[in-house]
Amino acid sequence: MAKILVVEDNNEINQMLVELLSESYHVVGAYSGTEGLLLFQQESPDLVLLDIMLPGKNGDQVLSEIRKASQVPVIMLTALGEKRLGSEYLLNGANDYITKPFDDDELFARVTVQLRHFRQDLKTDSLRYIKNIMVDMSNFEISRNEESVRLGKKEFEILTYLLEHPNQIFTKEQLYEIIWKENYLPGDNSLNAQLSNLRKKIAVLDSEEEYIETIWGIGVRLAGDKR
């Protein structure tokens, strides 16, 4: 369940928003900018409803502090006479604004849309591509079309490290010490076994292409284009 932080000093509006959104989301209410920032740090919300005129730190200061730490959606709550300020806040990092008094259904819809977009952006940010295969950085999976394969922890760490360092050749000693975070001992076959398992799992999805290239006498590297 997504978590929403409401920062609104008007007690009646704050409680109304909490009640309205609590049917679908976990909602936390704050009554000043200072309290809002404290709860933002403690609760790590997925979206913030932020009033412009607040005691303590005002909406501008709160938005600035949030943007230093996070890109979570922020919807500004503006009074009718502050509509011009709402547009300025969009330029300063807010995702949307709504003018008070607002329609409950409209506010709920705006919250839902912003959360949906944010989740889609997070999903997109977690995806990497190498040749014909997609790597989901969030769940240890590689996939092609509708077929997916779950990688083991070390297999995944090896693949993602190579993805982060395209074209760079690593000796097996270097790669072992990076992934296992301990000194390599001659004769240890752990890396070779993980590389073999990783290649086999990739081949399930695409047996025609080479994805991890062995440079004989030197080491291994990612083969081909990645993005």
Side-chain angles (χ1 to χ4, degrees), residues 6-75:
V6 174
V7 188
E8 165 63 65
D9 65 317
N10 183 293
N11 186 66
E12 183 177 341
I13 296 176
N14 192 308
Q15 291 184 6
M16 182 272 291
L17 287 169
V18 171
E19 291 175 6
L20 171 67
L21 296 168
S22 291
E23 294 182 10
S24 301
Y25 305 108
H26 177 70
V27 187
V28 180
Y31 294 87
S32 72
T34 304
E35 182 187 11
L37 284 174
L38 179 63
L39 287 176
F40 181 82
Q41 295 169 353
Q42 294 175 347
E43 301 289 341
S44 299
D46 301 292
L47 181 142
V48 180
L49 285 170
L50 177 61
D51 189 27
I52 288 180
M53 302 303 292
L54 292 166
K57 292 182 180 293
N58 62 31
D60 184 60
Q61 293 170 310
V62 173
L63 177 62
S64 177
E65 291 298 317
I66 288 175
R67 281 293 170 257
K68 290 178 183 178
S70 173
Q71 291 301 312
V72 298
V74 177
I75 299 177

Side-chain angles (χ1 to χ4, degrees), residues 91-190:
L91 296 174
N92 291 330
N95 299 83
D96 196 0
Y97 73 91
I98 189 166
T99 303
K100 297 182 283 187
F102 43 76
D103 179 79
D104 291 356
D105 290 339
E106 181 184 1
L107 183 134
F108 191 88
R110 287 173 182 259
V111 167
T112 301
V113 167
Q114 289 297 332
L115 285 171
R116 183 186 302 145
H117 288 169
F118 185 57
R119 287 164 175 164
Q120 289 173 346
D121 290 343
L122 286 178
K123 181 67 175 176
T124 300
D125 288 344
S126 73
L127 302 180
R128 301 290 184 272
Y129 298 86
I130 170 68
K131 293 188 177 180
N132 301 318
I133 287 178
M134 181 177 74
V135 183
D136 191 332
M137 310 292 279
S138 67
N139 67 2
F140 286 34
E141 281 190 353
I142 56 175
S143 61
R144 183 184 184 188
N145 299 326
E146 300 300 317
E147 188 174 8
S148 62
V149 175
R150 179 65 57 87
L151 301 182
K153 186 174 185 294
K154 292 299 183 187
E155 298 162 2
F156 185 78
E157 289 177 357
I158 291 168
L159 179 59
T160 54
Y161 194 82
L162 293 176
L163 271 169
E164 291 166 359
H165 300 82
N167 304 318
Q168 186 172 344
I169 302 172
F170 294 92
T171 68
K172 291 187 175 180
E173 291 82 0
Q174 287 175 327
L175 197 52
Y176 176 91
E177 292 181 356
I178 289 167
I179 301 301
W180 272 264
K181 296 180 174 57
E182 61 186 35
N183 293 332
Y184 173 78
L185 298 176
D188 191 319
N189 200 43
S190 300

Side-chain angles (χ1 to χ4, degrees), residues 200-217:
K200 289 176 182 176
K201 290 183 178 181
I202 291 173
V204 170
L205 302 175
D206 185 3
S207 60
E208 302 298 321
E209 293 278 356
E210 182 181 33
Y211 285 80
I212 298 176
E213 180 182 7
T214 296
I215 311 298
W216 295 109

